């Protein structure tokens, strides 16, 4: 069964450094998403991406964040200058928008620790 | 804006007993509702969804959920719990009237099935 994959599984970085989190969505899916979950809190929507552009973003997704689909398979989330409060589990998801009421399929997550 | 409430932090149930995980939602229009399960070190796995039609929906691993519009609820149920059902369960909602793709998640419920 096709799966969303994410790398790395765990990333430790120092405050102020740039990080790139990588995702490979399911191959025939058209919509891509990033969510995050701070420890003990809800899973929160960050951004959705379709047709090589952002289709929606939350108030969390400020200028420090960017997304890119650099080739036909990868989908990346970049945080330019990490802060302590960026420490969280980051989930990538993808969906087939062709079906009404589509479900989003999630990857296993990248745990980001900012020190 | 859509939101979900999962009122219990942890649900303990004996193996073989019925399992219920509660979820209530708030949307401006008719909701699309989803349940996901998260096992340790794994991503969110889709269990089932309600889009339209029969209020009782059946999903993976013997789970089902009942949509109740008057009570704005979408409780997850399983007639006979297994130890392997021990995991974190998330309810999520999408409001198609919003015109956006984001899922709003509840905080999750830890289910512990006692042998």
């Amino acid at each position: 069964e096709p799966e969303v994959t994410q790398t790395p599984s765990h990333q430790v970085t120092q405050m102020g450094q740039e990080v790139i989190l990588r995702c490979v969505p399911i191959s025939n899916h058209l919509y891509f998403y990033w969510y995050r979950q701070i420890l003990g809190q809800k899973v929160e929507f960050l951004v959705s991406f379709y047709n090589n552009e952002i289709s929606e973003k939350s108030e969390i997704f400020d200028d420090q964040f960017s997304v890119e689909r650099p080739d036909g398979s990868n989908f990346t989330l970049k945080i330019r200058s990490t802060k302590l409060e960026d420490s969280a589990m980051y989930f990538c998801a993808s969906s087939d928008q062709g079906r009404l009421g589509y479900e989003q399929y999630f990857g296993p997550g990248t745990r980001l620790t900012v020190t | 804006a859509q939101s979900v409430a999962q009122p219990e932090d942890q649900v303990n149930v004996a193996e073989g007993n019925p399992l219920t995980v509660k979820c209530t939602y708030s949307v401006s229009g008719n909701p699309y509702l989803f349940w996901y399960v998260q096992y340790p070190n794994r991503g969110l796995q889709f269990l089932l969804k309600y889009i339209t039609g029969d209020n009782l929906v059946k999903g993976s691993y013997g789970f089902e959920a009942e949509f109740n519009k008057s009570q704005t609820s979408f409780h997850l149920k399983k007639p006979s719990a297994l130890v392997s059902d021990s995991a974190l369960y998330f309810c999520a909602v999408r409001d198609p009237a919003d015109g956006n793709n984001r899922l709003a998640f509840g905080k999750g419920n830890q289910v512990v099935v006692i042998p």
Side-chain angles (χ1 to χ4, degrees):
Chain A
E1 186 176 329
E3 289 183 331
V4 177
T5 59
Q6 290 185 243
T7 54
S9 57
H10 190 191
Q11 174 91 47
V12 181
T13 189
Q14 290 189 327
M15 194 167 51
Q17 296 297 304
E18 175 183 286
V19 294
I20 297 176
L21 309 182
R22 291 183 168 80
C23 168
V24 179
I26 293 173
S27 62
N28 63 338
H29 283 183
L30 303 174
Y31 276 73
F32 314 110
Y33 311 84
W34 284 100
Y35 291 79
R36 78 173 185 189
Q37 185 181 27
I38 295 171
L39 189 64
Q41 298 186 22
K42 290 184 179 185
V43 176
E44 302 171 292
F45 169 80
L46 292 178
V47 65
S48 63
F49 190 87
Y50 170 70
N51 199 26
N52 284 320
E53 61 183 27
I54 291 173
S55 51
E56 185 189 357
K57 60 183 180 179
S58 72
E59 56 280 0
I60 302 168
F61 194 87
D62 61 23
D63 292 343
Q64 293 298 313
F65 292 89
S66 63
V67 289
E68 192 177 33
R69 188 157 162 82
D71 53 42
S73 60
N74 290 285
F75 179 52
T76 62
L77 174 69
K78 181 192 291 186
I79 309 175
R80 289 189 184 80
S81 178
T82 50
K83 309 183 194 72
L84 293 176
E85 54 265 36
D86 293 328
S87 294
M89 182 73 90
Y90 287 81
F91 293 105
C92 174
S94 68
S95 66
D96 172 8
Q97 182 66 357
R99 289 182 293 133
L100 185 65
Y102 60 91
E103 54 268 25
Q104 297 175 18
Y105 291 87
F106 286 77
T110 293
R111 181 168 296 285
L112 177 66
T113 302
V114 182
T115 61
Chain B
Q2 61 264 46
S3 66
V4 165
Q6 293 181 248
E8 300 158 316
D9 288 331
Q10 182 163 310
V11 176
N12 295 325
V13 62
E15 186 177 23
N17 281 4
L19 168 64
T20 298
V21 188
K22 295 180 180 176
C23 171
T24 58
Y25 65 89
S26 174
V27 297
S28 57
N30 293 317
Y32 291 170
L33 293 155
F34 304 83
W35 275 100
Y36 286 85
V37 61
Q38 186 180 29
Y39 297 99
N41 302 315
R42 301 288 298 277
L44 301 168
Q45 294 182 36
F46 169 74
L47 274 179
L48 50 77
K49 65 182 178 184
Y50 171 82
I51 303 302
T52 188
D54 195 348
N55 288 344
L56 184 66
V57 293
K58 295 186 183 298
S60 308
Y61 312 121
F63 283 95
E64 58 188 29
E66 186 165 12
F67 171 62
N68 187 317
K69 188 171 184 177
S70 62
Q71 297 185 5
T72 62
S73 67
F74 189 57
H75 301 331
L76 181 70
K77 299 180 182 182
K78 186 169 183 179
S80 178
L82 302 172
V83 173
S84 56
D85 293 329
S86 299
L88 194 55
Y89 290 80
F90 292 94
C91 182
V93 68
R94 178 178 168 243
D95 185 352
D98 260 357
N100 61 51
N101 296 326
R102 69 174 71 188
L103 288 176
F105 283 87
K107 63 179 173 59
N109 286 124
Q110 185 68 49
V111 169
V112 178
V113 182
I114 303 160

